[in-house]
Amino acid sequence: MGYPLIYQIEDIYYPVLAGVGIPVNLVAIVILSRGKCGLSRCITHYLVGMAAADLLVIIIDPILKWTIPVYFPLPFLRITPVCRLIAFLISATTGVSVWLTVAFTFDRFVAICCEKLKTKYCTEKTAAAVLAAVSVLGCLENLPWYFVYELKYIIDNVPWGCATKPSFFTSTAWTAFEALHYILTPCVPFFLMLLLNVLTVRRILVTSRARRGLRGHSNREKLKDPELENRRKSITLLFSISGSFILLWVTQVVYSIYRRITVIRYYYSDSDPCFITDHTSVMLQVLSSCTNTCIYVVSQTKFRDELKNAVKYPFNLIVKLVKA
């Protein structure tokens, strides 16, 4: 039997994804941290935190889990404590990335739909506190994954490999933990973002109709409403980020629910549709860690300008050195 097609695709897909994901997230962190994109400090905090979490996902998942074992086999990564740590970090960074996206969506929901709460909640201090809390709780919630695995064998008193403990499939405690984990990530965040976006859209439609009605009565000329223009830009950013998340995670969410309803534990063939769906959903999920920078470029004029300046800077420096 030949090498499964899905593995051939992954062997190309993950290195390419890492090659794209690391620089785009680094660029996003640097540009956003400069604070020259016309965004509030509150929004900037969330976007920088999301980019940092996505960067960690790219480093740990596509690189440590997929690319290095295939192209640069390092014995060190096969030591049991190390591969257990990688399994924990993959789950933790993914969870933090997901919940930071939810936190950003909730922040924008409050800013648009809750006028009284907006001044107290949508602040730089609150954003920093939320980022810290989500990061700590995400790590604590995923810590048990480190203990799911045990060594495969011992060579020269060194434990090697990671195998899932048999008790993971039989213990009530582990079953409850696994169910809770997949409820918290990705099911709850997915449906929370859907709900928040629906409520936000409803609020926007009501407010926009009201403002147009008032302006229509007070001024018959077709003039641009600065408030609506600013709101439109904010909404574009929000819906682009949350919409991308929902589209790229929907396969993972649906399959996670299906797998637990049908109690799928093993795949008997690499051509099994469930096996292919599982791997495809993971590829799409990891892709979501690379899309936000593209969204900023498309939706934010000042981010594009800063990116152009960053690209031109080395060439301008060379020109100055040559002229000097």
Side-chain angles (χ1 to χ4, degrees), residues 13 34 37 58 61 109 115 161 202 211 220 297 309:
Y13 176 81
R34 288 166 56 85
C37 295
I58 294 296
D61 200 332
F109 165 77
E115 291 295 332
R202 188 178 68 173
R211 287 186 66 85
R220 296 293 180 181
V297 171
N309 292 335

Side-chain angles (χ1 to χ4, degrees), residues 221-261:
E221 296 180 7
K222 293 183 177 179
L223 298 175
K224 286 188 176 180
D225 185 341
E227 176 66 22
L228 288 179
E229 285 296 310
N230 292 334
R231 182 165 295 209
R232 182 186 62 80
K233 293 178 182 179
S234 179
I235 300 309
T236 299
L237 179 62
L238 168 63
F239 287 170
S240 298
I241 291 175
S242 56
S244 170
F245 173 87
I246 290 169
L247 287 174
L248 292 175
W249 275 84
V250 64
T251 306
Q252 177 81 295
V253 171
V254 172
Y255 181 70
S256 295
I257 295 172
Y258 172 78
R259 186 172 65 181
R260 273 143 195 85
I261 291 174

Side-chain angles (χ1 to χ4, degrees), residues 48-259:
V48 170
M50 290 159 60
D54 288 343
L55 177 63
L56 290 175
V57 171
I58 294 296
I59 292 173
I60 296 169
D61 200 332
I63 294 181
L64 292 184
K65 181 181 178 181
W66 296 101
T67 304
I68 290 179
V70 172
Y71 294 99
F72 312 100
L74 297 177
F76 172 76
L77 296 180
R78 297 177 58 198
I79 297 176
T80 302
V82 176
C83 67
R84 290 168 70 182
L85 178 63
I86 291 173
F88 156 69
L89 290 175
I90 289 173
S91 185
T93 53
T94 300
V96 170
S97 175
V98 168
W99 279 100
L100 286 182
T101 307
V102 175
F104 170 72
T105 305
F106 181 74
D107 177 86
R108 292 300 85 200
F109 165 77
V110 171
I112 295 168
C113 303
C114 308
E115 291 295 332
K116 293 182 179 179
L117 184 59
K118 175 182 175 180
T119 54
K120 294 183 179 180
Y121 185 82
C122 300
T123 64
E124 182 179 352
K125 184 177 180 180
T126 300
V130 170
L131 290 173
V134 169
S135 300
V136 172
L137 292 175
C139 291
L140 291 176
E141 187 266 320
N142 287 281
L143 187 59
W145 285 110
Y146 181 87
F147 303 99
V148 168
Y149 303 96
E150 61 184 5
L151 60 86
K152 285 186 176 180
Y153 44 83
I154 296 177
I155 300 177
D156 296 330
N157 293 323
V158 177
W160 292 88
C162 282
T164 305
K165 293 179 178 179
S167 61
F168 181 75
F169 302 107
T170 58
S171 168
T172 303
W174 279 122
T175 301
F177 163 73
E178 185 186 23
L180 179 62
H181 171 75
Y182 283 104
I183 289 172
L184 292 176
T185 307
C187 294
V188 170
F190 182 85
F191 291 110
L192 265 179
M193 292 188 69
L194 279 176
L195 175 62
L196 291 172
N197 278 281
V198 168
L199 294 175
T200 303
V201 168
R202 188 178 68 173
R203 174 70 174 186
I204 292 168
L205 292 176
V206 171
T207 305
S208 298
R209 281 198 296 265
R211 287 186 66 85
R212 289 195 187 101
L214 289 172
R215 288 177 65 83
H217 287 298
S218 62
N219 191 348
R220 296 293 180 181
E221 296 180 7
K222 293 183 177 179
L223 298 175
K224 286 188 176 180
D225 185 341
E227 176 66 22
L228 288 179
E229 285 296 310
N230 292 334
R231 182 165 295 209
R232 182 186 62 80
K233 293 178 182 179
S234 179
I235 300 309
T236 299
L237 179 62
L238 168 63
F239 287 170
S240 298
I241 291 175
S242 56
S244 170
F245 173 87
I246 290 169
L247 287 174
L248 292 175
W249 275 84
V250 64
T251 306
Q252 177 81 295
V253 171
V254 172
Y255 181 70
S256 295
I257 295 172
Y258 172 78
R259 186 172 65 181

Side-chain angles (χ1 to χ4, degrees), residues 290-318:
C290 299
T291 55
N292 284 350
T293 302
C294 299
I295 290 169
Y296 305 150
V297 171
V298 172
S299 64
Q300 301 295 305
T301 303
K302 291 186 178 180
F303 186 93
R304 288 199 299 271
D305 293 339
E306 287 295 306
L307 182 59
K308 290 176 184 176
N309 292 335
V311 173
K312 291 178 182 177
Y313 180 77
F315 298 101
N316 293 336
L317 186 61
I318 293 173

